[in-house]
Amino acid sequence: MMTLSSPFAGRLGILALALFYTGFTFAAATTPAPALAASSGPYYVAELVEPAKDNRAVASGIAWKCQGTTCVAGKGNSRPIRICRGLFREFGEIASFTAKGEPLAEDKLAKCNGN
């Protein structure tokens, strides 16, 4: 009887599967869990001068959630001043803006508000 697989091909397949499994396991172990990232709180917090008309909006490529005059969002790829300017264009004047717990300097906040 003739077989279509050889012992070498079988061992090669097992080796490839083992390498794949090891790489997959390593990637899963080093990737932060979404639940952990979500529990750390918002990256940006903005206090608006006027209450937001919409509870949700996208400004500077970031999804914002607003309640009253407070808006929060996750981390974006731009500098905080650019994120702030995008929020200003969407919601109007901003009373305060914080990125990763650090407040935006007064002169930068004035630039954010178009002054």
Side-chain angles (χ1 to χ4, degrees):
M1 181 178 279
M2 185 173 171
T3 60
L4 297 176
S5 64
S6 68
F8 177 74
R11 289 182 184 152
L12 186 60
I14 291 171
L15 177 63
L17 184 60
L19 288 172
F20 173 79
Y21 179 78
T22 302
F24 181 78
T25 305
F26 180 76
T30 58
T31 304
L36 180 62
S39 68
S40 64
Y43 190 86
Y44 301 111
V45 178
E47 283 295 324
L48 307 175
V49 172
E50 301 277 328
K53 294 178 183 174
D54 295 322
N55 291 342
R56 295 176 187 254
V58 175
S60 296
I62 301 171
W64 289 85
K65 293 179 186 177
C66 300
Q67 187 171 12
T69 58
T70 303
C71 295
V72 296
K75 189 174 190 291
N77 294 328
S78 297
R79 293 176 294 139
I81 184 74
R82 292 186 57 95
I83 301 294
C84 185
R85 284 181 186 160
L87 191 64
F88 168 74
R89 285 190 292 274
E90 185 69 32
F91 291 109
E93 192 172 354
I94 299 170
S96 68
F97 187 87
T98 305
K100 196 178 178 184
E102 295 291 322
L104 200 60
E106 289 296 320
D107 61 329
K108 290 185 179 182
L109 185 62
K111 285 181 182 179
C112 167
N113 284 315
N115 297 330

